[in-house]
Amino acid sequence: MSTSPLEPFYNAYIEAINSRSTLAPFVHDHVTHNGRRMTLAEYEALIEASFTSAPDIYFKVDKLLTANDSIAARIWFSCTPEKDFLGFQPTGKMVHFAEHVFYRVRDGMIEEVWSLLDTQAVAQQLAHTENG
């Protein structure tokens, strides 16, 4: 089975996120995230906010599908929020959750992102902090 050129591209993009490197080699100067057009700097700040709230967050590619100009991925996270995280107050407890995300690539760079985070899983885990 051959590997789509988008697979190594996407894995390098995720590695850039995890190493907190610039996303300029992977993302257009303007990108649309969940219907909102933003600059590359705004998109990077959106991602950086996750590291500010949960410094130990790590983006792990769990599932990856590519076709033509599209990427679909399930990203798995484990982290311990230290500040407000996805609208929840930190409890000192590690949480595990997924993101389901789709990308459209144009001219070898990400142009559109549709992301859905499993915030219900985060809420359920943080709610069970006192009860184990």
Side-chain angles (χ1 to χ4, degrees):
M1 175 167 39
S2 65
T3 300
S4 160
L6 290 179
E7 288 180 31
F9 166 82
Y10 187 71
N11 286 320
Y13 163 74
I14 292 297
E15 180 54 37
I17 290 174
N18 283 325
S19 65
R20 298 184 184 189
S21 300
T22 181
L23 300 181
F26 307 98
V27 179
H28 280 281
D29 290 340
H30 287 88
V31 61
T32 302
H33 179 267
N34 288 347
R36 182 178 153 232
R37 188 150 167 84
M38 59 181 63
T39 65
L40 171 60
E42 290 170 322
Y43 182 68
E44 288 178 322
L46 180 73
I47 294 170
E48 181 59 32
S50 298
F51 288 102
T52 300
S53 296
D56 64 343
I57 196 166
Y58 183 79
F59 291 57
K60 180 179 185 273
V61 178
D62 181 49
K63 305 280 187 217
L64 179 60
L65 299 169
T66 62
N68 303 317
D69 65 349
S70 298
I71 299 169
R74 181 179 191 262
I75 308 299
W76 187 250
F77 300 95
S78 295
C79 64
T80 309
E82 294 180 1
K83 296 181 180 176
D84 181 76
F85 184 72
L86 303 174
F88 303 102
Q89 291 301 308
T91 63
K93 183 175 182 181
M94 179 172 272
V95 294
H96 313 277
F97 63 99
E99 174 186 26
H100 296 88
V101 60
F102 298 87
Y103 304 84
R104 190 170 70 76
V105 175
R106 180 181 56 82
D107 298 330
M109 299 177 81
I110 295 169
E111 181 173 57
E112 292 182 88
V113 182
W114 299 271
S115 168
L116 179 63
L117 293 166
D118 188 356
T119 56
Q120 183 176 0
V122 175
Q124 288 173 340
Q125 291 171 67
L126 293 178
H128 289 96
T129 298
E130 294 179 12
N131 300 327

